[in-house]
Amino acid sequence: MKQIPYKSFKNKKILCREDLNVPTTYHNGKHTITSLNKFYATQSNLKPLLEAGAQVGILTHFGRPANDGSDQKEYSVEFMVTVLRDLYKVPVTFCSSIQNKTIPFRSKEIILFENVRLNAGETSNDEVLADRYNSMCDVYIFNAFATSHRAHSSTEAIIKIAKEVYLGPLVEYEIKQLDTAMNNPTRPLIAIIGGKKVSTKFDLINNMLNFVDTLIVGGGIANTFLKSNGINIGSSICEDNFLEQSNNLLNNKGKNKIILPIDVITAKSIDSRIGNNVTISKGVANDEMILDIGTQTALHYSSIIKQAKTILWNGPLGVIEKDLFKDGTKVIAQAINKSDAFVIAGGGETVFAIEMFGISNRINYLSTGGGAFLEYLNGTKLPSLKAFEKRKKS
Ligand code: 3PG
Ligand code: MG
């Protein structure tokens, strides 16, 4: 990959697509950021730019505004100005519209542009909008790995036409980590896959079976696999239209690789005050649902994790928002914490679990990506990266 010539960017206008789509809570018209991970991840790009004396502009999206003329205040990124100021200790100006006649670019300063998804045409990958982004800068740096699965004006169309374009260091770093896990991992490589729906992760599991040694399953995803094997899962969430495919995967490509729970915690509802530890072979009562992995499963999974040299983790193994059903994921997090494996994790809910159980420092590589992380591991060619590859070749 071509190195970014940061030193030559003095006084140049450098427009950076970052992903500052951070999790927040919103009360009385005010956002409170709950994880700064995505802000920290911009440093490997923005620091060398500011040090070189570049004029830095940042484009980001935030949430998914409807773009139907309804009140968009909640989607403004203006609240991020102070965060950037504190982090980079330089003046940060907010620019509410890219259509303004003068854009106040200044050396060693940052301009934060309004949420790109409030620009007409952004999500439909409009080329006129991409032209406007291009006309504002000398160089475009695409550093938003977490958005590289979206073909939007600031993530795809612009890459095709920018006068000078680079992939940022965060993108390079994330790709390198994922490529190593997929092509050249230190073995055994153990994947831990949780989350609610098998439909959103079926392709992921299918592709992962090509390169992992063992794939541990939990969460709602495990339910569909268990039911496909003839286990009574009671009233647990399950995707019946995936039973055949799941069973096929389990007994062919996934044979001896996919590991399912041997016991589970069940209750009448997620608001229940009591959970029952049920052995899977006995089946779950018709009016009970699976809400966590059981104690024996947690021990079994921990012993597998202990052997791992590389761990890939995506998705909690139970309903961790509820105290009663978070223990399975907690035991797994503790096992990861104790292991000496190289640990890769990604996805919003996984970051939430990692922060909840206080093991952030033990994660060697925490991806900024959710969808992008999963799609990359699916083996999908992501639109931003594809556009960049194509450009390099032409
Ligand atoms: C994310 O948080 O996963 C990325 O910022 C992408 O956001 P999106 O799913 O709204 O495109
Ligand atoms: Mg997403």
Side-chain angles (χ1 to χ4, degrees):
M1 288 279 188
K2 207 159 116 191
Q3 285 290 312
I4 301 184
Y6 284 112
K7 293 224 166 72
S8 69
F9 290 165
K10 188 170 181 191
N11 299 331
K12 283 196 177 169
K13 296 186 182 75
I14 316 295
L15 190 55
C16 305
R17 176 59 162 100
E18 302 285 345
D19 185 319
L20 296 177
N21 186 31
V22 286
T24 68
T25 52
Y26 188 64
H27 286 300
N28 299 328
K30 229 183 131 251
H31 283 284
T32 308
I33 299 171
T34 55
S35 168
L36 286 169
N37 188 30
K38 286 187 174 181
F39 275 94
Y40 296 140
T42 62
Q43 286 174 298
S44 56
N45 182 42
L46 300 186
K47 266 194 175 168
L49 280 175
L50 291 165
E51 276 162 22
Q55 310 185 9
V56 178
I58 301 177
L59 292 178
T60 183
H61 75 284
F62 176 62
R64 295 176 184 170
N67 243 335
D68 58 359
S70 58
D71 184 15
Q72 310 276 292
K73 210 174 136 256
E74 187 181 340
Y75 293 99
S76 174
V77 300
E78 192 171 3
F79 73 98
M80 297 180 185
V81 165
T82 52
V83 186
L84 289 166
R85 228 176 252 156
D86 289 348
L87 187 60
Y88 289 104
K89 315 266 185 283
V90 297
V92 180
T93 311
F94 180 66
C95 181
S96 60
S97 170
I98 55 161
Q99 304 302 346
N100 288 353
K101 277 224 175 63
T102 47
I103 306 278
F105 271 110
R106 285 184 205 96
S107 297
K108 293 192 184 243
E109 295 189 12
I110 294 173
I111 301 176
L112 175 66
F113 292 96
E114 184 55 289
N115 188 347
V116 285
R117 290 189 182 168
L118 294 174
N119 297 333
E122 167 65 18
T123 56
S124 56
N125 208 11
D126 182 52
E127 287 174 10
V128 178
L129 180 59
D131 268 337
R132 175 63 193 145
Y133 294 144
N134 185 32
S135 72
M136 295 185 340
C137 66
D138 302 309
V139 175
Y140 194 78
I141 301 181
F142 179 74
N143 200 35
F145 174 77
T147 321
S148 48
H149 59 319
R150 304 286 181 219
H152 294 172
S153 289
S154 69
T155 64
E156 208 230 8
I158 177 75
I159 296 179
K160 293 184 182 152
I161 56 140
K163 4 182 150 55
E164 197 174 334
V165 64
Y166 298 91
L167 285 188
L170 177 66
V171 179
E172 301 270 3
Y173 175 73
E174 298 233 20
I175 292 175
K176 193 170 158 219
Q177 300 300 327
L178 293 175
D179 281 349
T180 306
M182 290 166 84
N183 305 320
N184 195 18
T186 314
R187 294 190 181 278
L189 164 56
I190 311 292
I192 305 162
I193 305 296
K196 290 185 195 76
K197 290 183 174 173
V198 87
S199 55
T200 59
K201 293 186 189 171
F202 192 83
D203 293 343
L204 172 79
I205 294 173
N206 190 16
N207 196 49
M208 274 188 158
L209 289 170
N210 295 327
F211 60 86
V212 304
D213 296 293
T214 303
L215 199 144
I216 291 172
V217 186
I221 294 176
N223 301 348
T224 305
F225 279 115
L226 288 168
K227 185 169 176 182
S228 85
N229 244 3
I231 303 289
N232 187 357
I233 58 165
S235 61
S236 310
I237 58 160
C238 175
E239 288 170 289
D240 284 340
N241 51 339
F242 269 83
L243 288 176
E244 206 180 310
Q245 290 175 69
S246 300
N247 190 260
N248 188 16
L249 203 62
L250 200 55
N251 295 305
N252 293 295
K253 195 173 173 184
K255 204 170 178 175
N256 304 323
K257 279 197 176 182
I258 297 180
I259 312 278
L260 296 177
I262 45 180
D263 63 343
V264 287
I265 306 293
T266 71
K268 298 251 184 302
S269 88
I270 63 165
D271 296 316
S272 296
R273 300 269 177 94
I274 316 162
N276 305 306
N277 202 112
V278 176
T279 304
I280 272 302
S281 57
K282 293 200 174 126
V284 175
N286 286 340
D287 61 346
E288 295 254 318
M289 57 178 74
I290 301 172
L291 296 164
D292 196 4
I293 54 171
T295 49
Q296 290 307 310
T297 304
L299 287 176
H300 181 215
Y301 285 4
S302 298
S303 70
I304 296 172
I305 288 167
K306 204 172 166 190
Q307 312 296 321
K309 289 283 174 250
T310 308
I311 295 170
L312 251 171
W313 182 20
N314 174 263
L317 302 165
V319 184
I320 56 170
E321 305 82 77
K322 300 282 177 185
D323 276 344
L324 201 56
F325 310 116
K326 69 177 181 205
D327 286 348
T329 309
K330 187 178 177 180
V331 172
I332 297 308
Q334 286 165 343
I336 291 173
N337 202 27
K338 273 196 225 132
S339 94
D340 57 7
F342 187 86
V343 185
I344 299 173
E349 281 196 293
T350 320
V351 176
F352 180 69
I354 285 166
E355 289 178 355
M356 174 184 253
F357 301 123
I359 63 160
S360 305
N361 291 339
R362 181 58 199 83
I363 310 299
N364 298 84
Y365 155 52
L366 182 59
S367 178
T368 55
F373 175 82
L374 296 181
E375 285 193 33
Y376 196 90
L377 289 169
N378 278 351
T380 311
K381 286 245 177 283
L382 306 184
S384 305
L385 308 181
K386 211 156 104 184
F388 189 78
E389 282 296 307
K390 209 162 158 199
R391 223 180 124 172
K392 261 199 334 194
K393 279 191 199 131
S394 63

